[in-house]
Protein backbone atom coordinates (compact mmCIF):
# COMPACT_ATOMS: atom_id res chain seq x y z
CA UNK A 1 0.00 0.00 0.00
CA UNK A 2 2.79 2.42 0.92
CA UNK A 3 4.40 2.01 -2.50
CA UNK A 4 1.61 3.65 -4.52
CA UNK A 5 0.67 6.45 -2.10
CA UNK A 6 2.58 9.70 -2.64
CA UNK A 7 5.57 10.19 -0.32
CA UNK A 8 4.15 13.22 1.49
CA UNK A 9 0.80 11.51 2.22
CA UNK A 10 -0.26 8.81 4.67
CA UNK A 11 -3.42 6.74 4.99
CA UNK A 12 -5.54 7.75 7.97
CA UNK A 13 -8.76 5.92 7.09
CA UNK A 14 -9.89 3.04 4.86
CA UNK A 15 -13.44 2.67 3.55
CA UNK A 16 -15.57 1.35 0.68
CA UNK A 17 -18.37 3.82 1.50
CA UNK A 18 -17.93 7.18 -0.24
CA UNK A 19 -20.17 8.84 2.36
CA UNK A 20 -17.62 7.94 5.06
CA UNK A 21 -14.59 9.32 3.17
CA UNK A 22 -12.46 11.97 4.89
CA UNK A 23 -9.03 13.52 4.31
CA UNK A 24 -6.35 10.90 3.59
CA UNK A 25 -8.80 8.04 2.99
CA UNK A 26 -7.75 4.96 1.06
CA UNK A 27 -10.88 4.04 -0.92
CA UNK A 28 -11.84 0.45 -1.80
CA UNK A 29 -13.89 0.03 -5.00
CA UNK A 30 -16.08 -3.01 -4.39
CA UNK A 31 -19.59 -4.36 -4.83
CA UNK A 32 -21.89 -5.23 -7.71
CA UNK A 33 -23.60 -1.83 -7.35
CA UNK A 34 -20.33 0.15 -7.44
CA UNK A 35 -20.23 3.17 -9.77
CA UNK A 36 -17.29 5.37 -10.73
CA UNK A 37 -19.23 8.31 -9.28
CA UNK A 38 -18.70 6.87 -5.78
CA UNK A 39 -14.94 7.00 -6.28
CA UNK A 40 -15.15 10.61 -7.54
CA UNK A 41 -17.20 11.54 -4.48
CA UNK A 42 -14.61 9.94 -2.18
CA UNK A 43 -11.76 11.81 -3.93
CA UNK A 44 -13.64 15.10 -3.54
CA UNK A 45 -13.88 14.40 0.19
CA UNK A 46 -10.14 13.81 0.50
CA UNK A 47 -9.39 10.24 -0.61
CA UNK A 48 -5.71 10.02 -1.64
CA UNK A 49 -5.83 6.69 -3.48
CA UNK A 50 -7.98 3.75 -4.42
CA UNK A 51 -7.72 -0.02 -4.73
CA UNK A 52 -9.76 -1.69 -7.44
CA UNK A 53 -9.94 -4.51 -9.94
CA UNK A 54 -10.31 -1.83 -12.65
CA UNK A 55 -8.55 1.43 -13.47
CA UNK A 56 -10.72 4.56 -13.69
CA UNK A 57 -9.16 6.97 -16.21
CA UNK A 58 -11.42 9.86 -15.25
CA UNK A 59 -10.26 9.81 -11.63
CA UNK A 60 -6.97 11.58 -10.97
CA UNK A 61 -5.63 9.67 -7.97
CA UNK A 62 -3.02 7.11 -6.95
CA UNK A 63 -4.29 3.59 -7.45
CA UNK A 64 -3.48 -0.08 -7.01
CA UNK A 65 -5.06 -2.68 -9.30
CA UNK A 66 -5.66 -6.14 -7.79
CA UNK A 67 -7.16 -9.31 -9.20
CA UNK A 68 -9.36 -10.06 -6.15
CA UNK A 69 -10.69 -6.99 -4.36
CA UNK A 70 -12.19 -8.92 -1.46
CA UNK A 71 -8.99 -10.77 -0.58
CA UNK A 72 -7.00 -7.57 -0.98
CA UNK A 73 -9.41 -5.66 1.25
CA UNK A 74 -9.22 -8.27 4.03
CA UNK A 75 -5.41 -8.39 3.97
CA UNK A 76 -4.96 -4.62 3.82
CA UNK A 77 -7.39 -3.81 6.63
CA UNK A 78 -5.84 -6.49 8.84
CA UNK A 79 -2.44 -4.83 8.29
CA UNK A 80 -3.90 -1.33 8.82
CA UNK A 81 -5.24 -2.26 12.28
CA UNK A 82 -1.95 -3.99 13.17
CA UNK A 83 -3.53 -7.46 13.27
CA UNK A 84 -5.90 -6.55 16.11
CA UNK A 85 -7.68 -9.91 15.87
CA UNK A 86 -4.51 -11.71 17.03
CA UNK A 87 -4.73 -9.86 20.35
CA UNK A 88 -8.26 -11.09 21.11
CA UNK A 89 -9.66 -14.47 22.15
CA UNK A 90 -12.09 -14.96 19.27
CA UNK A 91 -14.87 -17.55 19.10
CA UNK A 92 -16.31 -18.12 15.61
CA UNK A 93 -19.63 -19.97 15.30
CA UNK A 94 -21.01 -21.25 12.01
CA UNK A 95 -23.87 -23.53 11.00
CA UNK A 96 -27.31 -23.37 9.42
CA UNK A 97 -29.17 -22.67 12.67
CA UNK A 98 -28.36 -21.88 16.29
CA UNK A 99 -25.49 -19.45 15.63
CA UNK A 100 -27.12 -16.49 17.38
CA UNK A 101 -28.34 -18.45 20.39
CA UNK A 102 -25.00 -20.20 20.89
CA UNK A 103 -23.20 -16.87 20.53
CA UNK A 104 -25.37 -15.33 23.25
CA UNK A 105 -25.07 -18.34 25.54
CA UNK A 106 -21.29 -18.04 25.27
CA UNK A 107 -21.51 -14.30 25.87
CA UNK A 108 -23.49 -14.73 29.10
CA UNK A 109 -21.08 -17.38 30.41
CA UNK A 110 -18.00 -15.28 29.59
CA UNK A 111 -19.55 -12.18 31.15
CA UNK A 112 -20.20 -14.05 34.40
CA UNK A 113 -16.52 -15.00 34.49
CA UNK A 114 -15.29 -11.54 33.45
CA UNK A 115 -17.48 -9.83 36.04
CA UNK A 116 -15.96 -12.06 38.74
CA UNK A 117 -12.46 -10.79 37.88
CA UNK A 118 -13.66 -7.20 37.31
CA UNK A 119 -12.82 -7.12 33.60
CA UNK A 120 -14.82 -5.51 30.74
CA UNK A 121 -17.64 -7.64 29.35
CA UNK A 122 -17.10 -9.59 26.15
CA UNK A 123 -17.72 -8.28 22.64
CA UNK A 124 -20.22 -9.81 20.24
CA UNK A 125 -20.76 -9.65 16.48
CA UNK A 126 -24.01 -11.37 15.57
CA UNK A 127 -27.02 -11.13 13.30
CA UNK A 128 -28.88 -9.56 16.24
CA UNK A 129 -26.46 -7.10 17.78
CA UNK A 130 -22.92 -5.77 17.52
CA UNK A 131 -21.02 -4.63 20.62
CA UNK A 132 -17.28 -3.90 20.63
CA UNK A 133 -16.84 -1.66 23.65
CA UNK A 134 -17.46 1.50 21.60
CA UNK A 135 -20.18 0.59 19.08
CA UNK A 136 -23.41 -0.93 20.40
CA UNK A 137 -26.07 -1.31 17.71
CA UNK A 138 -28.67 -3.55 16.09
CA UNK A 139 -27.12 -5.62 13.31
CA UNK A 140 -28.25 -5.73 9.69
CA UNK A 141 -25.95 -8.55 8.56
CA UNK A 142 -24.58 -11.74 10.14
CA UNK A 143 -20.88 -11.10 9.49
CA UNK A 144 -19.78 -7.58 8.45
CA UNK A 145 -17.40 -6.82 5.59
CA UNK A 146 -13.70 -7.07 6.45
CA UNK A 147 -13.22 -3.32 6.95
CA UNK A 148 -16.05 -3.09 9.49
CA UNK A 149 -15.00 -6.36 11.12
CA UNK A 150 -11.44 -5.26 11.82
CA UNK A 151 -12.69 -1.89 13.03
CA UNK A 152 -14.71 -3.80 15.64
CA UNK A 153 -11.62 -5.82 16.59
CA UNK A 154 -9.64 -2.61 17.04
CA UNK A 155 -12.42 -1.03 19.11
CA UNK A 156 -12.47 -4.10 21.35
CA UNK A 157 -8.70 -3.93 21.90
CA UNK A 158 -8.89 -0.22 22.69
CA UNK A 159 -11.69 -1.01 25.17
CA UNK A 160 -9.44 -3.61 26.89
CA UNK A 161 -11.84 -6.44 25.95
CA UNK A 162 -10.39 -9.97 26.11
CA UNK A 163 -13.08 -12.13 24.45
CA UNK A 164 -15.14 -11.70 21.30
CA UNK A 165 -17.82 -14.10 20.08
CA UNK A 166 -19.09 -13.88 16.52
CA UNK A 167 -21.34 -15.60 14.03
CA UNK A 168 -19.65 -16.63 10.79
CA UNK A 169 -21.90 -16.85 7.73
CA UNK A 170 -21.18 -19.02 4.70
CA UNK A 171 -20.90 -15.81 2.65
CA UNK A 172 -18.25 -14.45 5.01
CA UNK A 173 -16.19 -17.61 4.57
CA UNK A 174 -16.74 -17.89 0.82
CA UNK A 175 -15.99 -14.25 0.04
CA UNK A 176 -13.02 -13.78 2.41
CA UNK A 177 -14.58 -11.39 4.92
CA UNK A 178 -12.76 -13.27 7.69
CA UNK A 179 -9.57 -13.98 5.73
CA UNK A 180 -6.54 -13.63 8.00
CA UNK A 181 -8.54 -14.02 11.23
CA UNK A 182 -7.60 -16.95 13.45
CA UNK A 183 -10.38 -18.22 15.69
CA UNK A 184 -9.25 -19.60 19.03
CA UNK A 185 -12.42 -21.71 18.88
CA UNK A 186 -14.28 -22.57 15.69
CA UNK A 187 -17.71 -24.11 16.34
CA UNK A 188 -19.75 -25.93 13.68
CA UNK A 189 -23.32 -26.33 14.98
CA UNK A 190 -25.11 -28.12 12.10
CA UNK A 191 -25.70 -28.08 8.35
CA UNK A 192 -28.70 -28.39 6.05
CA UNK A 193 -29.72 -26.96 2.70
CA UNK A 194 -29.95 -23.15 2.68
CA UNK A 195 -28.79 -20.05 0.81
CA UNK A 196 -29.05 -21.66 -2.63
CA UNK A 197 -29.54 -18.95 -5.26
CA UNK A 198 -27.69 -17.34 -8.19
CA UNK A 199 -26.15 -14.69 -5.89
CA UNK A 200 -25.23 -16.97 -2.93
CA UNK A 201 -24.37 -20.67 -3.42
CA UNK A 202 -24.99 -22.57 -6.63
CA UNK A 203 -25.73 -25.81 -4.75
CA UNK A 204 -25.54 -27.49 -1.33
CA UNK A 205 -21.97 -28.66 -1.89
CA UNK A 206 -20.82 -25.08 -2.42
CA UNK A 207 -22.68 -23.99 0.72
CA UNK A 208 -21.25 -26.88 2.79
CA UNK A 209 -17.67 -26.44 1.54
CA UNK A 210 -17.85 -22.72 2.34
CA UNK A 211 -18.88 -23.49 5.92
CA UNK A 212 -16.09 -26.05 6.31
CA UNK A 213 -13.47 -23.38 5.59
CA UNK A 214 -13.74 -22.28 9.22
CA UNK A 215 -11.48 -25.19 10.21
CA UNK A 216 -8.65 -23.82 8.08
CA UNK A 217 -8.33 -20.90 10.46
CA UNK A 218 -9.13 -22.10 13.97
CA UNK A 219 -7.03 -23.55 16.78
CA UNK A 220 -9.71 -25.72 18.42
CA UNK A 221 -12.76 -27.13 16.62
CA UNK A 222 -16.08 -27.78 18.41
CA UNK A 223 -18.38 -30.10 16.44
CA UNK A 224 -21.99 -31.23 16.93
CA UNK A 225 -21.78 -35.03 16.90
CA UNK A 226 -25.56 -35.34 16.35
CA UNK A 227 -25.54 -33.69 12.92
CA UNK A 228 -26.22 -36.05 10.02
CA UNK A 229 -23.03 -34.80 8.32
CA UNK A 230 -20.96 -35.08 11.49
CA UNK A 231 -18.43 -37.56 10.08
CA UNK A 232 -17.54 -35.30 7.18
CA UNK A 233 -17.44 -32.26 9.47
CA UNK A 234 -15.12 -34.03 11.92
CA UNK A 235 -12.85 -35.13 9.09
CA UNK A 236 -12.39 -31.51 7.98
CA UNK A 237 -12.07 -30.40 11.61
CA UNK A 238 -8.76 -32.31 11.78
CA UNK A 239 -7.21 -29.21 10.21
CA UNK A 240 -7.51 -27.65 13.68
CA UNK A 241 -5.02 -28.57 16.43
CA UNK A 242 -7.73 -30.26 18.52
CA UNK A 243 -11.38 -31.31 18.28
CA UNK A 244 -14.08 -31.34 20.97
CA UNK A 245 -17.48 -32.90 20.25
CA UNK A 246 -20.85 -32.15 21.84
CA UNK A 247 -24.36 -33.59 21.51
CA UNK A 248 -26.91 -36.11 22.78
CA UNK A 249 -24.77 -39.09 21.77
CA UNK A 250 -22.94 -40.70 24.71
CA UNK A 251 -19.70 -40.75 22.73
CA UNK A 252 -19.58 -36.93 22.71
CA UNK A 253 -17.01 -35.16 24.85
CA UNK A 254 -19.85 -33.01 26.19
CA UNK A 255 -22.88 -35.30 26.39
CA UNK A 256 -26.35 -33.92 27.22
CA UNK A 257 -29.28 -35.96 28.53
CA UNK A 258 -32.26 -36.08 30.94
CA UNK A 259 -33.99 -32.98 29.52
CA UNK A 260 -36.95 -31.68 31.52
CA UNK A 261 -39.35 -28.83 30.74
CA UNK A 262 -40.91 -26.69 33.45
CA UNK A 263 -42.98 -23.87 31.95
CA UNK A 264 -40.62 -21.91 29.71
CA UNK A 265 -37.54 -23.27 31.47
CA UNK A 266 -35.47 -26.30 30.45
CA UNK A 267 -33.13 -28.29 32.68
CA UNK A 268 -30.71 -30.93 31.48
CA UNK A 269 -27.65 -32.82 32.64
CA UNK A 270 -24.29 -32.83 30.93
CA UNK A 271 -21.31 -35.12 31.29
CA UNK A 272 -18.17 -33.17 30.53
CA UNK A 273 -14.92 -34.91 29.67
CA UNK A 274 -11.84 -33.64 31.52
CA UNK A 275 -8.57 -35.55 30.97
CA UNK A 276 -10.36 -38.86 30.35
CA UNK A 277 -12.65 -38.36 33.38
CA UNK A 278 -16.28 -37.27 33.10
CA UNK A 279 -17.93 -34.81 35.48
CA UNK A 280 -21.72 -34.54 35.67
CA UNK A 281 -23.47 -31.20 36.08
CA UNK A 282 -27.08 -30.02 35.82
CA UNK A 283 -27.81 -26.86 33.82
CA UNK A 284 -30.86 -24.63 33.32
CA UNK A 285 -31.78 -22.43 30.36
CA UNK A 286 -34.59 -19.93 30.79
CA UNK A 287 -36.08 -20.16 27.32
CA UNK A 288 -38.26 -22.77 25.58
CA UNK A 289 -37.34 -24.87 22.57
CA UNK A 290 -35.93 -28.36 23.14
CA UNK A 291 -33.40 -27.71 20.37
CA UNK A 292 -31.82 -25.02 22.55
CA UNK A 293 -30.23 -27.75 24.66
CA UNK A 294 -27.94 -28.45 21.68
CA UNK A 295 -27.00 -24.76 21.55
CA UNK A 296 -26.29 -24.83 25.30
CA UNK A 297 -24.06 -27.90 24.88
CA UNK A 298 -22.16 -26.05 22.13
CA UNK A 299 -21.64 -23.11 24.50
CA UNK A 300 -20.44 -25.44 27.25
CA UNK A 301 -17.97 -27.06 24.83
CA UNK A 302 -16.66 -23.67 23.70
CA UNK A 303 -16.25 -22.32 27.22
CA UNK A 304 -14.60 -25.53 28.42
CA UNK A 305 -12.00 -25.04 25.67
CA UNK A 306 -11.49 -21.47 26.87
CA UNK A 307 -10.83 -22.72 30.40
CA UNK A 308 -14.03 -21.31 31.94
CA UNK A 309 -15.24 -23.21 35.02
CA UNK A 310 -18.63 -24.93 35.30
CA UNK A 311 -19.71 -22.42 37.96
CA UNK A 312 -19.81 -19.63 35.35
CA UNK A 313 -21.33 -21.94 32.72
CA UNK A 314 -24.23 -22.67 35.05
CA UNK A 315 -24.77 -19.04 36.06
CA UNK A 316 -24.47 -17.74 32.51
CA UNK A 317 -26.84 -20.25 30.94
CA UNK A 318 -29.46 -19.69 33.64
CA UNK A 319 -29.45 -15.93 32.99
CA UNK A 320 -29.02 -16.08 29.22
CA UNK A 321 -31.49 -14.11 27.16
CA UNK A 322 -31.41 -13.98 23.37
CA UNK A 323 -33.35 -11.01 21.90
CA UNK A 324 -35.88 -12.23 19.34
CA UNK A 325 -35.16 -15.92 19.90
CA UNK A 326 -38.00 -18.03 21.29
CA UNK A 327 -39.42 -15.03 23.13
CA UNK A 328 -42.73 -16.02 24.69
CA UNK A 329 -45.63 -13.61 25.34
CA UNK A 330 -48.97 -14.65 26.87
CA UNK A 331 -52.36 -13.09 27.41
CA UNK A 332 -53.46 -12.83 31.03
CA UNK A 333 -56.09 -15.54 30.54
CA UNK A 334 -53.47 -17.83 28.91
CA UNK A 335 -55.71 -18.26 25.87
CA UNK A 336 -53.08 -16.79 23.56
CA UNK A 337 -49.40 -17.67 23.62
CA UNK A 338 -47.14 -16.00 21.07
CA UNK A 339 -43.57 -16.96 20.22
CA UNK A 340 -41.35 -14.50 18.37
CA UNK A 341 -38.37 -16.11 16.65
CA UNK A 342 -35.92 -15.42 13.84
CA UNK A 343 -36.52 -18.88 12.28
CA UNK A 344 -36.14 -18.48 8.52
CA UNK A 345 -34.87 -21.70 6.92
CA UNK A 346 -35.60 -25.42 6.64
CA UNK A 347 -33.65 -26.59 9.67
CA UNK A 348 -34.86 -23.82 11.98
CA UNK A 349 -38.46 -24.32 10.84
CA UNK A 350 -38.32 -28.08 11.42
CA UNK A 351 -36.79 -27.65 14.87
CA UNK A 352 -39.16 -24.90 15.95
CA UNK A 353 -42.43 -26.43 14.71
CA UNK A 354 -41.58 -29.89 16.06
CA UNK A 355 -40.60 -28.42 19.42
CA UNK A 356 -43.76 -26.28 19.63
CA UNK A 357 -45.93 -29.29 18.81
CA UNK A 358 -44.32 -31.24 21.67
CA UNK A 359 -44.30 -28.40 24.18
CA UNK A 360 -47.78 -27.04 23.40
CA UNK A 361 -49.71 -30.14 22.24
CA UNK A 362 -53.17 -28.77 23.10
CA UNK A 363 -52.93 -25.52 21.15
CA UNK A 364 -53.84 -24.55 17.62
CA UNK A 365 -50.88 -23.14 15.71
CA UNK A 366 -51.22 -19.89 13.78
CA UNK A 367 -48.07 -19.01 11.80
CA UNK A 368 -47.14 -15.57 10.46
CA UNK A 369 -44.16 -15.36 8.13
CA UNK A 370 -42.72 -14.27 4.81
CA UNK A 371 -39.40 -14.79 3.02
CA UNK A 372 -36.50 -12.60 1.94
CA UNK A 373 -36.47 -11.39 -1.63
CA UNK A 374 -33.98 -12.22 -4.36
CA UNK A 375 -31.94 -14.86 -2.51
CA UNK A 376 -32.15 -18.12 -0.56
CA UNK A 377 -34.78 -19.21 -3.07
CA UNK A 378 -34.65 -22.80 -1.81
CA UNK A 379 -36.15 -21.71 1.51
CA UNK A 380 -39.59 -21.00 0.11
CA UNK A 381 -40.50 -24.61 -0.57
CA UNK A 382 -39.34 -25.78 2.86
CA UNK A 383 -40.88 -22.90 4.80
CA UNK A 384 -44.22 -23.31 3.04
CA UNK A 385 -44.39 -27.09 3.29
CA UNK A 386 -43.19 -27.32 6.92
CA UNK A 387 -45.61 -24.61 8.09
CA UNK A 388 -48.36 -26.39 6.12
CA UNK A 389 -47.61 -29.65 7.93
CA UNK A 390 -47.88 -28.26 11.46
CA UNK A 391 -50.10 -25.16 11.32
CA UNK A 392 -53.85 -24.70 11.67
CA UNK A 393 -53.77 -21.35 9.89
CA UNK A 394 -51.07 -19.39 8.04
CA UNK A 395 -50.68 -15.69 7.29
CA UNK A 396 -48.14 -14.93 4.55
CA UNK A 397 -46.66 -11.46 4.77
CA UNK A 398 -43.66 -9.19 4.23
CA UNK A 399 -40.11 -10.06 5.29
CA UNK A 400 -37.24 -8.04 3.76
CA UNK A 401 -38.49 -8.31 0.19
CA UNK A 402 -35.74 -6.05 -1.17
CA UNK A 403 -36.15 -5.54 -4.90
CA UNK A 404 -38.54 -8.47 -5.41
CA UNK A 405 -42.32 -7.76 -5.36
CA UNK A 406 -43.86 -9.01 -2.11
CA UNK A 407 -46.79 -10.70 -3.88
CA UNK A 408 -44.36 -12.74 -5.97
CA UNK A 409 -42.71 -14.03 -2.80
CA UNK A 410 -46.02 -14.77 -1.05
CA UNK A 411 -47.43 -16.57 -4.11
CA UNK A 412 -44.21 -18.57 -4.33
CA UNK A 413 -44.62 -19.65 -0.70
CA UNK A 414 -48.33 -20.33 -1.18
CA UNK A 415 -47.80 -22.98 -3.85
CA UNK A 416 -46.27 -25.24 -1.18
CA UNK A 417 -49.22 -24.90 1.21
CA UNK A 418 -51.47 -27.82 0.29
CA UNK A 419 -53.83 -28.47 3.23
CA UNK A 420 -53.68 -25.58 5.71
CA UNK A 421 -55.98 -22.55 5.18
CA UNK A 422 -54.02 -19.36 4.63
CA UNK A 423 -54.29 -15.66 3.81
CA UNK A 424 -51.88 -13.24 2.18
CA UNK A 425 -51.72 -9.94 4.06
CA UNK A 426 -48.86 -7.80 2.78
CA UNK A 427 -48.71 -5.41 5.74
CA UNK A 428 -46.92 -7.33 8.50
CA UNK A 429 -48.58 -5.45 11.35
CA UNK A 430 -52.02 -6.20 9.88
CA UNK A 431 -51.08 -9.87 9.48
CA UNK A 432 -50.12 -10.08 13.17
CA UNK A 433 -53.31 -8.29 14.19
CA UNK A 434 -55.35 -10.73 12.10
CA UNK A 435 -53.58 -13.66 13.79
CA UNK A 436 -54.54 -12.34 17.24
CA UNK A 437 -58.14 -11.80 16.09
CA UNK A 438 -58.27 -15.39 14.82
CA UNK A 439 -57.02 -16.82 18.14
CA UNK A 440 -60.47 -17.26 19.67
CA UNK A 441 -59.61 -20.52 21.39
CA UNK A 442 -56.40 -21.80 22.99
CA UNK A 443 -53.84 -20.87 20.36
CA UNK A 444 -50.14 -20.30 19.86
CA UNK A 445 -49.11 -17.61 17.38
CA UNK A 446 -45.70 -18.01 15.77
CA UNK A 447 -44.21 -14.75 14.49
CA UNK A 448 -41.26 -15.89 12.42
CA UNK A 449 -38.32 -14.34 10.62
CA UNK A 450 -37.93 -10.85 12.06
CA UNK A 451 -37.51 -11.24 15.82
CA UNK A 452 -36.71 -7.86 17.38
CA UNK A 453 -35.56 -6.26 14.13
CA UNK A 454 -36.70 -2.66 13.71
CA UNK A 455 -35.90 -2.33 10.00
CA UNK A 456 -37.46 -3.80 6.85
CA UNK A 457 -35.49 -4.03 3.61
CA UNK A 458 -37.55 -2.50 0.81
CA UNK A 459 -35.77 -1.94 -2.48
CA UNK A 460 -32.26 -0.72 -1.64
CA UNK A 461 -33.36 0.87 1.64
CA UNK A 462 -33.70 -0.40 5.20
CA UNK A 463 -36.86 1.33 6.41
CA UNK A 464 -37.75 1.71 10.08
CA UNK A 465 -40.59 -0.53 11.30
CA UNK A 466 -42.10 -1.70 14.59
CA UNK A 467 -40.61 -5.01 15.73
CA UNK A 468 -42.74 -8.14 16.01
CA UNK A 469 -42.07 -8.10 19.77
CA UNK A 470 -43.39 -4.59 20.30
CA UNK A 471 -46.38 -5.21 18.06
CA UNK A 472 -47.51 -8.43 19.74
CA UNK A 473 -47.01 -6.92 23.20
CA UNK A 474 -49.26 -4.01 22.22
CA UNK A 475 -51.94 -6.31 20.80
CA UNK A 476 -51.89 -8.56 23.89
CA UNK A 477 -52.18 -5.51 26.15
CA UNK A 478 -55.23 -4.44 24.13
CA UNK A 479 -56.65 -7.98 24.31
CA UNK A 480 -56.13 -8.07 28.10
CA UNK A 481 -57.81 -4.68 28.55
CA UNK A 482 -60.81 -5.69 26.45
CA UNK A 483 -61.27 -8.87 28.49
CA UNK A 484 -61.09 -6.91 31.74
CA UNK A 485 -63.88 -4.65 30.46
CA UNK A 486 -65.93 -7.70 29.42
CA UNK A 487 -65.55 -9.25 32.87
CA UNK A 488 -66.49 -6.00 34.56
CA UNK A 489 -69.60 -5.80 32.38
CA UNK A 490 -70.50 -9.39 33.23
CA UNK A 491 -70.16 -8.66 36.96
CA UNK A 492 -72.45 -5.62 36.65
CA UNK A 493 -75.08 -7.66 34.82
CA UNK A 494 -74.89 -10.44 37.42
CA UNK A 495 -75.20 -7.89 40.27
CA UNK A 496 -78.31 -6.33 38.78
Amino acid sequence: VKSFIKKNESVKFISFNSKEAIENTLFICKGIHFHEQYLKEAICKGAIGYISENKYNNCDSSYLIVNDIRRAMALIINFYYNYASSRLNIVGITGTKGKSTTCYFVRYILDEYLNSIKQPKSAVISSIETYDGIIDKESSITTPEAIELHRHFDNAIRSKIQFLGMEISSQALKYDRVLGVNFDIGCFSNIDIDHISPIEHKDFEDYFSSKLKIFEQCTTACVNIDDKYSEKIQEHAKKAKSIVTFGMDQSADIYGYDIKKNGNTLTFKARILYDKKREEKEFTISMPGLFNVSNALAAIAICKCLGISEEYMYQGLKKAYVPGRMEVFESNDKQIVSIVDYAHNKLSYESLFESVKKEYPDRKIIAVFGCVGGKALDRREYMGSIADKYSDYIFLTEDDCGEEPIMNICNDLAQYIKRCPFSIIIDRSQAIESAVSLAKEKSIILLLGKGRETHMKRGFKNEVCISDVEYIKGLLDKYNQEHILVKEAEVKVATH
Side-chain angles (χ1 to χ4, degrees):
V1 175
K2 291 178 182 178
S3 65
F4 79 93
I5 298 296
K6 294 175 183 178
K7 289 184 179 180
N8 62 339
E9 296 177 321
S10 61
V11 174
K12 294 182 180 178
F13 190 64
I14 300 178
S15 180
F16 55 78
N17 185 347
S18 59
K19 291 181 173 55
E20 288 184 344
I22 57 175
E23 288 293 322
N24 290 72
T25 290
L26 173 61
F27 191 71
I28 309 291
C29 305
K30 65 158 279 291
I32 57 174
H33 296 297
F34 179 79
H35 295 291
E36 187 174 341
Q37 183 58 38
Y38 300 151
L39 174 56
K40 291 179 179 178
E41 182 182 346
I43 292 171
C44 286
K45 289 184 174 183
I48 55 174
Y50 68 91
I51 299 177
S52 174
E53 292 178 358
N54 304 292
K55 183 178 181 301
Y56 295 98
N57 294 319
N58 296 322
C59 296
D60 183 19
S61 177
S62 299
Y63 62 89
L64 178 65
I65 304 303
V66 298
N67 60 14
D68 189 328
I69 192 64
R70 289 186 171 277
R71 289 182 66 84
M73 180 170 64
L75 296 172
I76 288 166
I77 200 66
N78 201 356
F79 171 77
Y80 177 77
Y81 283 114
N82 195 23
Y83 307 100
S85 63
S86 66
R87 286 168 279 149
L88 286 165
N89 296 297
I90 301 181
V91 174
I93 301 165
T94 198
T96 302
K97 69 175 290 292
K99 296 188 294 297
S100 301
T101 302
T102 302
C103 200
Y104 271 78
F105 283 174
V106 170
R107 182 189 196 186
Y108 271 83
I109 293 169
L110 289 176
D111 287 352
E112 285 294 314
Y113 163 69
L114 291 166
N115 183 58
S116 74
I117 60 173
K118 296 180 170 51
Q119 293 296 311
K121 65 181 183 180
S122 60
V124 65
I125 299 173
S126 77
S127 56
I128 299 173
E129 175 192 4
T130 295
Y131 171 76
D132 63 16
I134 295 174
I135 295 171
D136 188 356
K137 65 176 185 178
E138 180 182 319
S139 298
S140 58
I141 190 171
T142 301
T143 312
E145 291 285 3
I147 287 179
E148 297 166 314
L149 188 60
H150 287 271
R151 198 174 295 163
H152 292 313
F153 294 155
D154 185 64
N155 285 347
I157 292 295
R158 290 194 285 128
S159 302
K160 302 188 185 311
I161 288 173
Q162 299 179 37
F163 295 94
L164 183 146
M166 61 182 295
E167 297 179 48
I168 314 295
S169 66
S170 59
Q171 298 288 290
L173 289 159
K174 180 177 180 177
Y175 294 114
D176 296 320
R177 290 181 204 164
V178 292
L179 180 68
V181 178
N182 182 73
F183 304 106
D184 294 85
I185 313 293
C187 178
F188 201 119
S189 61
N190 46 60
I191 190 77
D192 206 340
I193 191 165
D194 197 21
H195 292 291
I196 311 301
S197 75
I199 62 171
E200 296 170 290
H201 300 282
K202 62 180 181 180
D203 52 33
F204 176 70
E205 188 55 40
D206 183 55
Y207 174 58
F208 196 1
S209 61
S210 296
K211 290 280 192 187
L212 291 169
K213 288 175 69 177
I214 193 170
F215 298 125
E216 297 172 11
Q217 52 194 96
C218 72
T219 303
T220 300
C222 291
V223 177
N224 181 1
I225 203 169
D226 298 328
D227 191 83
K228 61 183 177 181
Y229 295 99
S230 178
E231 287 187 14
K232 183 174 180 179
I233 295 169
Q234 288 186 69
E235 185 61 34
H236 281 263
K238 290 177 182 177
K239 294 175 182 178
K241 290 183 179 178
S242 59
I243 304 173
V244 173
T245 57
F246 61 90
M248 307 294 182
D249 190 297
Q250 293 189 42
S251 64
D253 297 322
I254 288 82
Y255 158 53
Y257 64 103
D258 197 17
I259 304 169
K260 295 177 182 176
K261 183 179 184 297
N262 182 14
N264 292 326
T265 297
L266 292 169
T267 62
F268 66 96
K269 292 178 182 176
R271 288 182 186 153
I272 305 172
L273 184 64
Y274 292 101
D275 297 324
K276 298 183 181 180
K277 291 183 180 180
R278 287 191 180 274
E279 294 185 14
E280 184 180 285
K281 180 77 174 178
E282 186 171 87
F283 295 94
T284 300
I285 49 177
S286 300
M287 57 191 296
L290 300 173
F291 51 85
N292 279 317
V293 173
S294 178
N295 297 325
L297 292 171
I300 291 168
I302 289 166
C303 291
K304 172 187 176 292
C305 295
L306 291 172
I308 308 299
S309 74
E310 293 174 11
E311 170 191 358
Y312 303 114
M313 294 179 193
Y314 177 81
Q315 293 172 359
L317 287 175
K318 190 171 183 180
K319 294 178 182 179
Y321 158 70
V322 187
R325 285 289 185 200
M326 292 301 287
E327 288 203 62
V328 180
F329 304 93
E330 298 178 338
S331 60
N332 290 342
D333 61 6
K334 308 297 183 184
Q335 282 293 108
I336 302 175
V337 174
S338 181
I339 293 180
V340 178
D341 193 83
Y342 284 106
H344 59 272
N345 58 33
K346 178 190 176 188
L347 196 54
S348 60
Y349 262 49
E350 286 176 338
S351 298
L352 185 140
F353 276 98
E354 287 173 5
S355 187
V356 164
K357 204 71 174 176
K358 288 178 183 176
E359 295 181 57
Y360 302 91
D362 60 335
R363 290 183 179 271
K364 290 196 171 184
I365 296 175
I366 302 170
V368 181
F369 63 94
C371 191
V372 296
K375 60 181 183 177
L377 304 179
D378 57 296
R379 288 180 185 170
R380 299 178 189 183
E381 176 181 356
Y382 301 117
M383 292 167 73
S385 58
I386 293 168
D388 180 48
K389 178 180 177 181
Y390 291 100
S391 302
D392 295 285
Y393 202 93
I394 293 170
F395 290 95
L396 299 176
T397 189
E398 180 181 18
D399 183 350
D400 294 323
C401 59
E403 300 170 68
E404 187 175 358
I406 303 171
M407 278 304 298
N408 287 7
I409 299 170
C410 290
N411 287 330
D412 212 0
L413 286 164
Q415 66 178 307
Y416 302 109
I417 300 173
K418 307 295 184 183
R419 60 147 210 104
C420 182
F422 71 91
S423 299
I424 295 176
I425 301 179
I426 298 301
D427 186 290
R428 194 172 180 98
S429 60
Q430 289 181 15
I432 297 171
E433 190 168 349
S434 297
V436 173
S437 298
L438 187 64
K440 298 187 184 300
E441 52 187 290
K442 247 184 166 181
S443 302
I444 183 159
I445 300 171
L446 303 180
L447 306 180
L448 306 178
K450 293 295 288 179
R452 282 185 173 263
E453 289 179 9
T454 57
H455 290 81
M456 186 75 75
K457 189 171 184 181
R458 296 174 177 132
F460 294 109
K461 296 180 180 179
N462 278 319
E463 298 183 8
V464 175
C465 65
I466 300 174
S467 73
D468 285 0
V469 166
E470 291 308 311
Y471 209 83
I472 191 64
K473 284 167 66 177
L475 288 172
L476 289 178
D477 285 345
K478 182 181 177 183
Y479 174 93
N480 292 334
Q481 190 60 38
E482 288 174 350
H483 279 68
I484 289 172
L485 294 174
V486 169
K487 285 185 178 180
E488 288 177 349
E490 288 174 348
V491 169
K492 287 181 180 179
V493 170
T495 301
H496 287 296

